[in-house]
Amino acid sequence: MNLNNLIQSTNVLFLLLGAIMIFAMHAGFAFLEVGSVRRKNQINALVKILTDWAVSTVVYFLVGFPISYGISFIKPANELMATDMGFSLVRFFFLLTFAACIPAIISGGIAERAKFWPQVIAGAVFAGVLYPFFESLIWGQNSAVFQGFIKSIGGAEFSDYAGSVVVHSFGGWLALPAILILGARKGRYSKTKSNPIPISNVPFLALGSWILAVGWFGFNVMSAQNLGDISGLVAINSLFAMVGGILVALVISKNDPVFIHNGALAGLVAVCAGSNLYHPLAAFVVGGIASIIFVKGFTIETEVFKVDDVLGVFVLHGLVGSWGGIASGIFTHKIFGGLGGLSFISQLLGTFSAIAVALVGGSLVYLVIDKTFGFRMSASDEELGSDLSTHSLEAYPEESLGVMNSLDTYQENNLNVV
């Protein structure tokens, strides 16, 4: 093996490890939702995330990746391996993990009342067409034109190193039309007051947060996409933003465990865009502000505007992701100890372009789905729970069995007494 082949194979391994770490994050999405919904909807949360992953893989391979980067894999395997030892294939896997985050993000906002198959279809459209279109403008084959336009106005290209805007903000703003079209869960609001629905399992929610936080270092650090460009600064900035999010949430939420674990994620969402350029203390501040946006924003969203966003995905990903894109135009400046080179105007333009594409595209897709297939579960299915109504299985069947056995024993004892 010559030196070039060794370097290429090392990059293949590097990117593969990053892809595997981000793939593991989807378990985090799943358990974050499992812990946040009621017990009668836990199986549905697990199946949705896994199904969306499988569908995203197929559509992104066949349609999405060619839209984003102009590379098709419809050719013999020997040709796929001929020039780069399969690096393009592994790069597809790595970038697939980003694309598949889109339906996983949306899933948490529409939980407990959305039909299963219509959302799978929506996720396929997003991962296969709409997300790749926007990805192509920022990172892919159409970036020269779009980034040139932004640079002509703001003086620099729009920078999003690891996807605060391209992935998180885009996914969160896609979720908003779905949440609004579905409406609130039955019983969530009455005419006079808000009736918060208790979550089922804080340990599962915390497990989801931990899995996401660990995998995030693959999400950010491996965005270098080759070993030669790896940056320890990205890793430490990710760490400090996460810690900033935790500590601020700890204080302003008065030690609420749900907000604390989501505060970690808020910090990580926000730091992605500028993680290669911040000073660690600036990253800490960006993560702390992101946590404030989530804690206060989620309260305003659900209690003031009465929008039933179950996991707060619009705020956590949509608003906080947008903050991450804009913040990188401020806190990466050399006056804050950063490396500089970004334009606030360009970051603003890139961020709002994501919002516009996501809102228009998401609204069209969900309105069509609602008018054709129907998007919301029936009242009886919602009352029964999506586990039984969609999957014909309970998450804890032994408990129901135990109740029935106890009832049978009670009746037998009473009959014996009689």
Side-chain angles (χ1 to χ4, degrees), residues 4-344:
N4 287 335
N5 285 345
L6 179 62
I7 293 172
Q8 189 72 350
S9 61
T10 302
N11 286 331
V12 169
L13 178 60
F14 171 77
L15 204 55
L16 177 61
L17 292 175
I20 292 169
M21 287 181 72
I22 308 172
F23 174 43
M25 290 174 69
H26 288 262
F29 281 118
F31 278 98
L32 196 71
E33 185 172 335
V34 167
S36 299
V37 299
R38 287 166 288 185
R39 289 154 67 96
K40 63 182 180 180
N41 297 300
Q42 290 183 335
I43 290 174
N44 183 249
L46 294 167
V47 175
K48 275 192 302 179
I49 300 298
L50 191 61
T51 302
D52 283 336
W53 168 266
V55 171
S56 296
T57 299
V58 175
V59 298
Y60 193 69
F61 185 84
L62 295 175
V63 182
F65 196 77
I67 289 175
S68 295
Y69 300 100
I71 298 172
S72 173
F73 298 114
I74 309 304
K75 58 184 71 172
N78 65 324
E79 293 183 27
L80 296 177
M81 291 290 291
T83 58
D84 61 4
M85 301 182 69
F87 181 80
S88 293
L89 289 168
V90 175
R91 185 166 180 252
F92 150 76
F93 182 14
F94 179 80
L95 292 167
L96 161 68
T97 62
F98 285 50
C101 284
I102 301 299
I105 288 167
I106 296 169
S107 178
I110 64 174
E112 302 202 281
R113 76 271 201 209
K115 289 182 179 178
F116 180 79
W117 285 110
Q119 174 50 29
V120 171
I121 293 169
V125 174
F126 295 147
V129 180
L130 193 60
Y131 169 81
F133 165 71
F134 188 70
E135 182 184 24
S136 76
L137 299 180
I138 307 302
W139 294 334
Q141 64 174 335
N142 299 315
S143 62
V145 174
F146 185 73
Q147 292 281 22
F149 168 72
I150 288 183
K151 186 175 181 179
S152 69
I153 298 174
E157 293 186 352
F158 170 70
S159 178
D160 189 5
Y161 184 74
S164 286
V165 174
V166 176
V167 179
H168 296 285
S169 177
F170 196 76
W173 284 94
L174 277 175
L176 183 60
I179 295 165
L180 295 177
I181 289 169
L182 280 172
R185 290 167 290 173
K186 184 179 179 182
R188 177 63 179 87
Y189 302 105
S190 63
K191 291 182 179 180
T192 57
K193 64 176 182 176
S194 169
N195 305 300
I197 297 174
I199 66 176
S200 61
N201 195 308
V202 173
F204 274 165
L205 181 152
L207 175 64
S209 177
W210 274 102
I211 294 172
L212 284 165
V214 172
W216 222 294
F217 288 87
F219 199 97
N220 286 1
V221 176
M222 268 71 166
S223 284
Q225 297 192 38
N226 67 79
L227 193 59
D229 290 334
I230 193 170
S231 168
L233 184 63
V234 174
I236 300 306
N237 282 337
S238 302
L239 174 65
F240 270 76
M242 179 184 71
V243 170
I246 292 169
L247 294 178
V248 170
L250 176 70
V251 174
I252 66 172
S253 74
K254 299 179 181 178
N255 205 9
D256 184 308
V258 175
F259 281 128
I260 292 168
H261 284 92
N262 277 288
L265 304 182
L268 287 163
V269 167
V271 79
C272 292
S275 56
N276 60 325
L277 300 172
Y278 288 123
H279 184 278
L281 293 179
F284 181 92
V285 172
V286 169
I289 295 173
S291 194
I292 294 172
I293 293 171
F294 177 70
V295 174
K296 299 300 182 182
F298 181 68
T299 302
I300 294 170
E301 179 191 26
T302 57
E303 301 304 319
V304 176
F305 292 105
K306 292 183 168 53
V307 174
D308 189 15
D309 181 356
V310 181
L311 270 68
V313 299
F314 168 63
V315 181
L316 181 60
H317 297 275
L319 294 185
V320 171
S322 298
W323 160 244
I326 295 168
S328 61
I330 303 170
F331 288 97
T332 60
H333 197 280
K334 292 183 179 180
I335 196 172
F336 296 109
L339 298 181
L342 302 189
S343 159
F344 175 75

